[in-house]
Amino acid sequence: MAEVKIQAESRSEFGKGAARRIRRDHKVPAVLYGHGTDPVHITLPGHDTMLALKTANALLLIEVEGSESLLALPKQVQRDPIRNTIEHVDLVIVKRGEKVQVEIAVHVEGEAVSGTLVVTEAQTILVEAEATHIPDGVSVSIEGLDAGAQIHASDLVLPKGTTLAIEPDTLIVNVTAGQTAEQLDADMATAEAEAGVVRDEPTAAPVE
């Protein structure tokens, strides 16, 4: 994963008022911590930060004037629930060659046998990888799988240098038999009955 260089500014103002002023200037308040260092409070450029964090586990090279450049990974990103703008970022400092644990996406590819239902039980998995070589995700093929097939974490083919950080028997994908129209209708009727919904019964047309 390529490093994304971001020019940051140190800050000494804290609190909600200071954070609002920073955001009004289209910037993002952030904090850097890790490796036994005191937290470093910084301000990031809003547009550059938004673009960088579109990539999961983005590796950032934070450059602060008058300080050494630091490699960091996003630990927590707070977003406005309505506008989806970035409100605050927690960044954890990492070192080259260091192993870190991160969540990566599971990409399901292919088509199972017709009439089956494919359930992705885990959208992401926890892995351990070198901080500068974090994979974008892991692909798993369901091509031609029939009902009853299961894919566990131990079945995943991870990139070189990446290892599982979850139990090997964790279920990732489950292929089951699809429901028939009759089963779906029965399940719907049961759910409606539990919710107290009364179906309108069709009325017979009068006989002439």
Side-chain angles (χ1 to χ4, degrees), residues 56-164:
N57 302 314
L59 182 62
L60 308 179
L61 181 62
I62 306 296
E63 296 185 337
V64 184
E65 186 177 356
S67 302
E68 65 173 327
S69 299
L70 296 170
L71 279 177
L73 290 170
K75 184 68 173 179
Q76 184 176 27
V77 180
Q78 297 176 17
R79 298 180 183 272
D80 183 282
I82 298 175
R83 294 176 296 176
N84 201 36
T85 52
I86 299 174
E87 298 274 280
H88 188 275
V89 181
D90 286 353
L91 299 167
V92 59
I93 299 169
V94 296
K95 303 292 185 183
R96 298 185 191 279
E98 174 187 12
K99 292 278 190 175
V100 295
Q101 289 192 353
V102 292
E103 294 275 350
I104 64 171
V106 175
H107 304 293
V108 178
E109 300 176 344
E111 296 286 341
V113 170
S114 177
T116 58
L117 178 66
V118 178
V119 180
T120 303
E121 301 286 353
Q123 302 288 340
T124 63
I125 58 168
L126 185 66
V127 300
E128 186 172 84
E130 187 181 336
T132 54
H133 292 87
I134 297 173
D136 294 330
V138 59
S139 298
V140 55
S141 175
I142 59 168
E143 187 64 35
L145 294 185
D146 207 341
Q150 292 185 328
I151 298 174
H152 297 86
S154 58
D155 300 317
L156 301 176
V157 180
L158 298 173
K160 184 178 179 181
T162 301
T163 57
L164 286 175

Side-chain angles (χ1 to χ4, degrees), residues 134-206:
I134 297 173
D136 294 330
V138 59
S139 298
V140 55
S141 175
I142 59 168
E143 187 64 35
L145 294 185
D146 207 341
Q150 292 185 328
I151 298 174
H152 297 86
S154 58
D155 300 317
L156 301 176
V157 180
L158 298 173
K160 184 178 179 181
T162 301
T163 57
L164 286 175
I166 57 175
E167 292 298 325
D169 61 354
T170 300
L171 184 59
I172 306 299
V173 178
N174 191 22
V175 183
T176 63
Q179 285 185 307
T180 63
E182 290 78 10
Q183 289 172 325
L184 286 172
D185 190 61
D187 288 346
M188 180 65 72
T190 301
E192 290 176 347
E194 291 175 350
V197 177
V198 179
R199 291 190 180 188
D200 292 332
E201 295 294 334
T203 56

Side-chain angles (χ1 to χ4, degrees), residues 10-19 21-22 29 41-43:
S10 60
R11 63 184 172 98
S12 55
E13 286 188 303
F14 310 103
K16 293 183 178 179
R21 286 192 292 274
I22 290 171
H41 297 273
I42 58 176
T43 299

